[in-house]
């Protein structure tokens, strides 16, 4: 994706970058073969710009990283999990509208 | 927005094709989509019946191509959810389109191409375990079920095609159908019956989906014998038909008992300046090819009616 505001996380840096983060982090678990994941990708980029400095927007490719999705019981994508201080605040499965994601983000702002 | 604008609601194949035709006719066109363009095609692992792609094509790729084509001719897109529509009271007046964010748009014409969404089973456990083994998208979630045992519920084209697709990952696929034969086209039936990983449970409905953190089993009822049973599975994929996304038009345009919009051959609805195209429309065959055909006819009819022709 063109937007540099979205960060890409892996099994290796998940703890440092997401669980131990100062700011809340929304992680988009996705894969290239998932149509709905591609559908929400532009919206995820938009959110990353709009919430810059308030919420970190991250993506994890489940094809390349299996241990983190396994740990959070993810068996469907796209799944968005909102973390704050290492805790799961909200979890959304499926391609949903921006309003629904913003409602979730409001819980940590 | 100027009131000579054509608004297209929905960005699946019908809406995108209407956009291609309208933009090429130089009608100012805006496509409104709730999430992002694609529609049901996005969750189709492979489209094998759309002419021109002899090897088949991934659903998302076909949609990407349609969108790129519409953009090439100047399509304008915006996000929004339409909550109600008010047709013109007399000719020359605009269609008023109300969005969830409070905005009202006036347009010279409106093509409804909002498509359809998959049905839920409506059984206990389904909502609670969504994303934890309950799925409506085999191409999205199939890879999470490597070497697992999954159930597929349904007996139509989608259920059978996705059951076949799931055998790429799962070691065993149990197809549960409420009738004693499949409704899917013959070619898919032949493929499914020949696949050693697929087994069939006939005349049976799912009564509940069970599990604490993830799907563990299904409670089944055989409709013929009345016999109840439980089957252990790691996941369940539900393909039990669709319903049209037309709730926001109730009372605005004429629909049949299931909510599919009635149109004439030019895709005109019962309300002036409003057309319908694709899976949200009452017709005998809901397919990508018929959706794109509807889109073209609707755009052409709108073009003539809006005085651009």
């Amino acid at each position: 994706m063109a937007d540099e505001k979205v960060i890409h996380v892996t099994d290796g840096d998940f703890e440092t970058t997401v669980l131990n983060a100062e700011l809340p982090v929304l992680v988009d678990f996705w894969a290239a073969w998932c149509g709905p994941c591609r559908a929400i990708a532009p919206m995820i980029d938009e959110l990353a710009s709009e919430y810059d400095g308030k919420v970190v927007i991250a993506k994890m490719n489940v094809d390349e990283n299996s241990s983190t999705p396994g740990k959070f019981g993810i068996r469907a994508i796209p799944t968005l999990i909102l973390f704050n201080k290492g805790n799961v605040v909200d979890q959304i499965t499926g391609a949903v509208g921006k309003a629904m994601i913003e409602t979730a983000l409001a819980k940590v702002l | 927005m100027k009131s000579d604008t054509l608004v297209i609601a929905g960005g699946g194949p019908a809406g995108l094709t209407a956009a291609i035709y309208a933009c090429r006719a130089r009608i100012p066109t805006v496509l409104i989509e709730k999430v992002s363009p694609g529609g049901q095609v996005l969750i189709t692992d492979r489209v094998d019946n759309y002419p021109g792609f002899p090897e088949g094509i991934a659903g998302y790729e076909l949609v990407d191509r349609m969108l790129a084509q519409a953009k090439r001719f100047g399509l304008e897109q915006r996000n929004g959810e339409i909550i109600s529509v008010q047709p013109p009271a007399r000719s020359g007046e605009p269609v008023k389109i109300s969005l969830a964010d409070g905005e009202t748009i006036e347009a010279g014409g409106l093509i409804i191409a909002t498509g359809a969404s998959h049905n839920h089973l409506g059984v206990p456990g389904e909502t609670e375990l969504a994303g934890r083994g309950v799925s409506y998208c085999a191409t999205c979630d199939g890879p999470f079920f490597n070497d697992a045992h999954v159930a597929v519920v349904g007996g139509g084209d989608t259920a059978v095609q996705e059951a076949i697709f799931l055998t790429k990952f799962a070691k065993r696929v149990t197809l549960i159908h409420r009738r004693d034969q499949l409704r899917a086209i013959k070619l898919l039936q032949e493929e499914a019956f020949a696949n050693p990983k697929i087994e069939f449970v006939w005349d049976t409905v799912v009564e509940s989906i069970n599990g604490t953190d993830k799907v563990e089993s299904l409670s089944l009822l055989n409709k013929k014998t009345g016999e109840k049973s439980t089957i252990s599975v790691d996941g369940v994929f539900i393909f039990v038909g669709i319903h049209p996304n037309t709730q926001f038009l109730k009372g605005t345009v004429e629909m049949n008992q299931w909510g599919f919009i009635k149109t004439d051959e030019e895709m005109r609805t019962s309300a002036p300046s409003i057309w319908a195209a694709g899976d949200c429309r009452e017709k005998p065959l809901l397919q990508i090819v018929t959706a794109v055909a509807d889109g073209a006819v609707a755009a052409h009819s709108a073009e003539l009616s809006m005085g651009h022709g």
Side-chain angles (χ1 to χ4, degrees), chain B residues 158-224:
Chain B
T158 307
V160 176
Q161 179 172 343
E162 301 307 314
I164 296 165
F165 172 75
L166 285 166
T167 61
K168 284 207 238 175
F169 311 100
K171 62 175 181 214
R172 189 172 158 210
V173 175
T174 303
L175 191 142
I176 299 162
H177 187 38
R178 65 193 158 107
R179 300 181 202 280
D180 61 4
Q181 55 184 354
L182 300 174
R183 222 180 37 219
I185 56 159
K186 280 287 180 301
L187 180 136
L188 289 173
Q189 291 197 26
E190 288 162 14
E191 256 185 77
F193 289 137
N195 191 317
K197 284 184 169 181
I198 303 178
E199 62 187 14
F200 298 84
V201 176
W202 303 109
D203 302 310
T204 297
V205 294
V206 175
E207 291 205 303
S208 68
I209 301 168
N210 318 311
T212 42
D213 288 337
K214 56 187 175 64
V215 171
E216 286 159 13
S217 68
L218 306 177
S219 299
L220 306 178
L221 168 69
N222 185 308
K223 299 277 272 182
K224 264 194 185 151

Side-chain angles (χ1 to χ4, degrees), chain B residues 219-235:
Chain B
S219 299
L220 306 178
L221 168 69
N222 185 308
K223 299 277 272 182
K224 264 194 185 151
T225 63
E227 192 188 329
K228 293 193 180 211
S229 61
T230 303
I231 174 177
S232 293
V233 292
D234 303 299

Side-chain angles (χ1 to χ4, degrees), chain B residues 83-152:
Chain B
I83 51 169
S84 70
V85 172
Q86 196 188 325
R90 51 187 79 79
S91 76
E93 286 187 4
V95 183
K96 291 187 180 137
I97 302 159
S98 303
L99 303 181
D101 64 9
E103 194 186 341
T104 298
I105 296 173
E106 297 196 344
L110 170 65
I111 296 177
I112 308 288
T114 46
S117 298
H118 55 76
N119 288 335
H120 290 225
L121 274 177
V123 299
E126 184 175 14
T127 314
E128 295 83 345
L129 294 167
R132 298 184 172 275
V134 174
S135 173
Y136 307 88
C137 177
T139 169
C140 306
D141 308 335
F144 291 102
F145 295 89
N146 256 326
D147 234 14
H149 176 200
V150 299
V152 169

Side-chain angles (χ1 to χ4, degrees), chain B residues 51-71:
Chain B
F53 298 92
E55 314 301 329
I57 180 167
Y60 61 75
E61 200 187 334
L62 183 58
V63 163
D64 275 358
R65 285 170 179 244
M66 289 181 184
L67 179 61
Q69 197 170 348
K71 280 183 173 167

